């Protein structure tokens, strides 16, 4: 299945803002082509700030509003939260159950998620423990659990029938086999990232965010591989056998 053929896509990630940084351009490109994209955020974002006087509930509300605004920029339909706390995400049956529910609800052909392992030649923020846990739980939920009629039979009572996903894409560098041209939508990606004001520096005490620092260099490096200005790169994990890919998908 080729990029243009995906009509239903689900992004599963750990924190509000992960989707925009890691695959916001691809999300924008998909929605521009007419695909329905929905989000599942595993944590509530309540520990992502630096102001100790702010309550968890206050920051959760702020980050939910920021995430909805970013999703609107990219054309995402729905954003659902699984409600775990930052820094506590583990690959549990409970988490997998909740992800299976969303896979069966939205019936995606493609899932975008994070890398389920440490990427030692990249900044450690990309291999945050929550990122790895969200990704591994998503992979297990995708196969075999979402498609198994004997897994989580309580979901059948909710009208959620088993569903088999075609592909899962995880962000990749040297071993990428899907490189998506996001040149035409890179400004949307940047605008979506800017919606996450609480995380971008200034009043947060963090270094101020700059596109030229992150994610600009990675986007340019990926683009250079296929002769475009900006691209996002992924590794495809095939779940349901489809037509073989013919090189990078642009």
């Amino acid at each position: 299945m080729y990029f243009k053929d995906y009509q239903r896509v689900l992004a599963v990630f750990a924190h509000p803002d992960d989707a925009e940084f890691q695959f916001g351009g691809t999300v924008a490109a998909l929605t521009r082509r007419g695909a329905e994209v929905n989000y599942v955020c595993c944590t509530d974002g309540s520990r992502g700030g630096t102001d100790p006087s702010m309550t968890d509930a206050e920051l959760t509300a702020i980050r939910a509003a920021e995430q909805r605004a970013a999703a609107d920029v990219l054309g995402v339909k729905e954003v659902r939260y699984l409600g775990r706390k930052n820094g506590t995400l583990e690959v549990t049956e409970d988490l997998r159950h909740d992800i299976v529910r969303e896979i069966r609800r939205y019936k995606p052909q493609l899932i975008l998620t994070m890398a389920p392992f440490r990427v030692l030649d990249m900044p450690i923020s990309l291999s945050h423990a929550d990122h790895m846990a969200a990704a591994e739980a998503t992979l297990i939920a995708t196969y075999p659990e979402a498609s198994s009629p004997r897994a989580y039979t309580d979901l059948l009572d909710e009208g959620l029938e088993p569903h088999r996903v075609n592909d899962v894409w995880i962000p990749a560098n040297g071993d990428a086999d899907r490189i998506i041209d996001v040149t035409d939508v890179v400004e949307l990606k940047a605008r979506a990232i800017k919606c996450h004001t609480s995380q971008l520096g200034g009043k947060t005490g963090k270094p101020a965010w700059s596109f030229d620092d992150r994610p600009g260099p990675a986007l340019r490096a990926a683009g250079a591989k296929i002769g475009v200005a900006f691209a996002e790169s992924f590794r495809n994990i095939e779940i349901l056998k489809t037509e073989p890919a013919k090189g990078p998908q642009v």
Side-chain angles (χ1 to χ4, degrees), residues 42-198:
C42 294
T43 75
D44 61 9
S46 62
R47 295 181 180 176
T50 58
D51 182 356
S53 68
M54 185 177 292
T55 68
D56 284 2
E58 288 171 334
L59 186 55
T60 295
I62 288 170
R63 298 200 70 185
E66 291 172 347
Q67 182 61 89
R68 183 62 260 178
D72 287 343
V73 170
L74 300 178
V76 173
K77 185 176 181 181
E78 294 184 358
V79 180
R80 301 185 72 88
Y81 292 90
L82 304 185
R84 275 63 174 186
K85 296 290 185 185
N86 297 50
T88 69
L89 215 56
E90 296 181 355
V91 186
T92 63
E93 184 177 23
D94 184 57
L95 178 60
R96 296 186 341 247
H97 173 277
D98 287 354
I99 295 173
V100 168
R101 174 184 282 115
E102 304 311 322
I103 293 173
R104 293 186 181 183
R105 184 194 312 280
Y106 292 112
K107 296 181 169 32
Q109 299 156 309
L110 170 67
I111 289 179
L112 301 174
T113 192
M114 314 181 87
F117 45 76
R118 290 282 184 197
V119 184
L120 298 180
D121 60 348
M122 299 291 284
I124 196 169
S125 60
L126 298 178
S127 299
H128 188 297
D130 283 348
H131 294 184
M132 293 188 291
E136 181 63 18
T138 299
L139 288 174
I140 298 170
T142 300
Y143 186 85
E145 295 179 333
S147 60
S148 172
R150 294 185 59 80
Y152 309 125
T153 55
D154 61 299
L155 297 178
L156 298 176
D157 297 333
E158 299 179 25
L160 299 175
E161 298 290 334
H163 173 71
R164 181 168 291 184
V165 176
N166 292 72
D167 299 289
V168 177
W169 289 4
I170 63 173
N173 189 19
D175 61 346
D177 58 6
R178 298 292 187 277
I179 302 179
I180 306 302
D181 182 2
V182 299
T183 304
D184 290 344
V185 293
V186 73
E187 290 187 10
L188 291 177
K189 177 182 174 83
R191 279 176 50 200
I193 291 172
K194 287 179 181 178
C195 291
H196 297 282
T197 307
S198 68

Side-chain angles (χ1 to χ4, degrees), residues 213-229:
D213 292 332
R214 185 169 70 107
L219 294 174
R220 291 187 177 94
K225 294 178 180 179
I226 56 172
V228 301

